[in-house]
Amino acid sequence: MDDVGVRHSLAGDGIRYWTWGADPCDGTTCVFLFHGITSAHRFWKPMACELAARGLSVIAWDMAFHGESRRSGSFSLSQAADDAAAILCQEGVSSCVAVGHSFGCYVVQALAVGHPECVRGAVLFDGTPCGYPLKPLEVWSIRHYSALAALWPFGSYVRQGSSAVSTTETGRREFAEELSELGRPGMLAATRACYPAALEASCGAPSRRGFPVTLVLGEKDDVGLVAPAMRGWADELGVELEFVPGAGHNSPWDQPERCLGIVLDATGAGRS
């Protein structure tokens, strides 16, 4: 299986995405993979290849301000959801299993609200629900994240960020490479555009859209408020929170086999 995938452009919007596996027009289950802030489609490449090898159709994008996609203009979760829906339409996909990581979980929620017909199920790794209550200092920190990050030497930012999100050498190395590819200007632009959008979101819980939701948390994820938010989210939705043993915030990199199995179960493809 080619790990590069087939590169596409969303007509007229400066968004790049990649596909792997079977033609979704043949009725194959489609999985759409949504990365987090300062990441890109390469975050999901190993999983995309494994899913495609099991007969699934797979899409992964570079969200606006990331990777090869546009790095100018405005950003909102509703626009990101519209972009994702347009990609599905361009590929002839009526609905998908939407898989989000970190900030990508916000986009999945926005897609489920703005385009409910596009989502048949969701798997959400290490994220938070839209509208999660924050204290004033937390709101201030998120709004000014890019300004605070600009004070760090970029090399130090990469090293500390990589150590914070992963428990494995592979995970730390992959995140460091992603940040290095994005570069300091790209990191600042992405965080400046995207973090305020998350604060202004009020898109609600995805399970209220009428499809199954799987919530997944790295056992050692101590990034921000993710762990308590995920626990409260699971209680709110009445679902069991799945833990990834030994994993940090970037659980799909720290424990890829475990995370692959969770996604396969959500698609109905099982672990075979």
Side-chain angles (χ1 to χ4, degrees):
M1 179 64 63
D2 182 4
D3 68 348
V4 175
V6 180
R7 181 178 179 274
H8 307 266
S9 297
L10 181 60
D13 201 27
I15 301 297
R16 304 288 182 264
Y17 67 95
W18 286 255
T19 58
W20 294 259
D23 185 347
C25 294
D26 294 337
T28 304
T29 297
C30 177
V31 178
F32 198 142
L33 303 166
F34 295 85
H35 64 80
I37 289 180
T38 70
S39 190
H41 79 282
R42 62 168 282 175
F43 179 91
W44 291 112
K45 272 186 180 181
M47 183 179 290
C49 293
E50 293 292 340
L51 293 171
R54 287 161 171 78
L56 298 169
S57 171
V58 185
I59 300 171
W61 73 350
D62 285 349
M63 184 171 63
F65 289 89
H66 295 77
E68 296 184 24
S69 290
R70 65 175 176 86
R71 298 195 184 183
S72 61
S74 60
F75 179 90
S76 69
L77 286 173
S78 61
Q79 180 59 54
D82 290 347
D83 289 341
I87 288 171
L88 291 169
C89 181
Q90 185 164 287
E91 290 299 311
V93 178
S94 59
S95 65
C96 69
V97 175
V99 179
H101 173 257
S102 194
F103 188 87
C105 296
Y106 286 127
V107 182
V108 171
Q109 292 172 79
L111 179 64
V113 170
H115 303 272
E117 73 284 355
C118 289
V119 183
R120 59 188 294 182
V123 184
L124 304 174
F125 288 92
D126 308 296
T128 56
C130 291
Y132 185 76
L134 299 172
K135 297 177 181 178
L137 179 58
E138 294 163 344
V139 172
W140 184 91
S141 298
I142 293 173
R143 288 197 183 279
H144 297 88
Y145 182 91
S146 60
L148 297 171
L151 301 176
W152 266 341
F154 188 61
S156 177
Y157 179 88
V158 170
R159 289 190 297 273
Q160 293 183 41
S162 301
S163 296
V165 298
S166 283
T167 59
T168 63
E169 182 59 35
T170 297
R172 290 188 289 268
R173 182 182 66 250
E174 290 286 351
F175 189 67
E177 290 179 1
E178 278 198 319
L179 279 175
S180 297
E181 287 183 4
L182 188 60
R184 185 175 185 274
M187 178 273 290
L188 294 175
T191 55
R192 188 179 299 117
C194 297
Y195 274 130
L199 290 175
E200 295 161 6
S202 58
C203 47
S207 66
R208 296 173 186 164
R209 303 296 117 184
F211 54 80
V213 177
T214 304
L215 299 181
V216 191
L217 176 65
E219 181 185 38
K220 297 184 177 181
D221 187 345
D222 59 2
V223 169
L225 299 172
V226 171
M230 290 289 281
R231 290 186 176 93
W233 202 1
D235 290 341
E236 178 188 352
L237 303 184
V239 300
E240 182 177 352
L241 181 59
E242 298 213 31
F243 289 92
V244 183
H249 184 65
N250 285 1
S251 54
W253 272 342
D254 287 340
Q255 297 293 341
E257 289 299 322
R258 168 65 173 151
C259 294
L260 172 65
I262 290 170
V263 175
L264 286 172
D265 285 348
T267 66
R271 296 175 182 265
S272 60

